[in-house]
Amino acid sequence: MLKDRTFSQSYKFIFELAWREYWQREWIIRGDEIFADVKRTQLSVESVNIPSAIIDACTGIDQIDRSIKELYDTGYIHNHSRMWLSGLICNIAHTKWQLPAHWMYYYLLDGDPASNMLSWQWVAGTFSSKKYLPAQENINTYTRSVQKKSFLDHPYDVLATLPTPAILLERKVINLSWLKPASQDLKVDKSLPTLLYTSFWLNHEWHSDMQANRILVLEPSWFKRFPVSSTVTKFILDIAKEIDGLQVYVGEWADLEPQLGTTKYFISHPSVSHWRGDAEPYPLMFQEVPMKSYGSFMSFWKQCQKQLATNEKQGRHE
């Protein structure tokens, strides 16, 4: 990866990937603790439900409304827009972060529970030292827009004390549910090992030279906890088609395991902690950085920079 670029040329890209790994490490270390307030309680909460204006993309903040529509239409949303949107919901509309985080995750093609939930906590101030506030000036700067006199068009100290804007007072109860796709009738050769894939691990190069059963496992119990839209499910299944011989099993591990042989391989991941077999280590960019909670991203990043500097000296860019 990035073999033709120096560390300085690749810095920003690596920095963003490091954030993703930081969240993954926190999930591995903390487990289900990341799905509740981690470091401190979210303050000034008025509701657990999302404002209707957010759901309907009619907040009056032009760039935020566009980003919500983009999320619905494409499954993507720019990182800046994610922060503005979550800051608006949590700290301007004074909403508890959990349901909004699940709402965004539901539509994200690149959704990851740790990155998503902990990023929302970072914005809400439950995993950081202060809350993130979206200001109209900041939105204008990064989107090259010129919107003025919105309810976000105030200095940060004023935004921090504003009551919930009238347009955000009405709340909507939402039901996020997973539409289960069809499961294939498995053809399993028990004399062969089985490679088990998940929606978080669909690497076509993984043991590509091994003669094995290959099965993508979609457990309804998991998707009940973390539902995704039909668009996201289709995205997962389309990627699965790129892996030769991969079969799709929609059902629980307890029902699948008896159908398999004795040798089973999968990638260790918090979503499959109940699976049994040969769990291979979750791949990390910064394998030399000790696995522990660093308290903050920058503490973790300092350790990553040491590894990167060593790699640079040794001419390693992989």
Side-chain angles (χ1 to χ4, degrees), residues 24 27-28 112 194-208 210 213 215-217 219 222 243 253 263-285 287 291:
Q24 289 296 315
W27 190 11
I28 291 170
D112 171 79
T194 298
L195 299 175
L196 298 161
Y197 299 75
T198 70
S199 58
F200 303 114
W201 182 254
L202 284 168
N203 186 338
H204 72 278
E205 295 183 350
W206 182 51
H207 294 308
S208 59
M210 180 185 292
N213 306 294
I215 302 174
L216 166 61
V217 184
E219 293 191 88
W222 173 262
I243 301 175
W253 169 254
T263 305
K264 300 173 285 291
Y265 297 102
F266 57 91
I267 297 297
S268 178
H269 189 267
S271 65
V272 296
S273 58
H274 57 296
W275 289 10
R276 296 189 300 178
D278 295 309
E280 299 181 358
Y282 186 87
L284 298 172
M285 284 183 61
Q287 297 183 15
M291 179 63 75

Side-chain angles (χ1 to χ4, degrees), residues 25-49:
R25 286 169 174 256
E26 289 295 321
W27 190 11
I28 291 170
I29 293 164
R30 297 178 183 271
D32 282 356
E33 291 179 11
I34 71 167
F35 304 125
D37 294 351
V38 172
K39 293 185 177 180
R40 53 191 60 86
T41 301
Q42 184 180 351
L43 302 177
S44 303
V45 172
E46 297 175 3
S47 178
V48 299
N49 291 316

Side-chain angles (χ1 to χ4, degrees), residues 1 4 7 11 23 43 60 77 101 118 137 147 159 163 166 174 181 190-191 203 216 251 262 264 278 302 306 318:
M1 184 178 72
D4 299 326
F7 171 40
Y11 179 91
W23 300 134
L43 302 177
I77 182 171
L118 289 173
E137 182 180 3
Q147 187 173 6
L159 286 173
I174 58 173
K190 289 190 175 183
S191 68
N203 186 338
L216 166 61
T262 57
K264 300 173 285 291
D278 295 309
K302 288 178 182 179
K306 293 179 182 178
E318 67 277 4

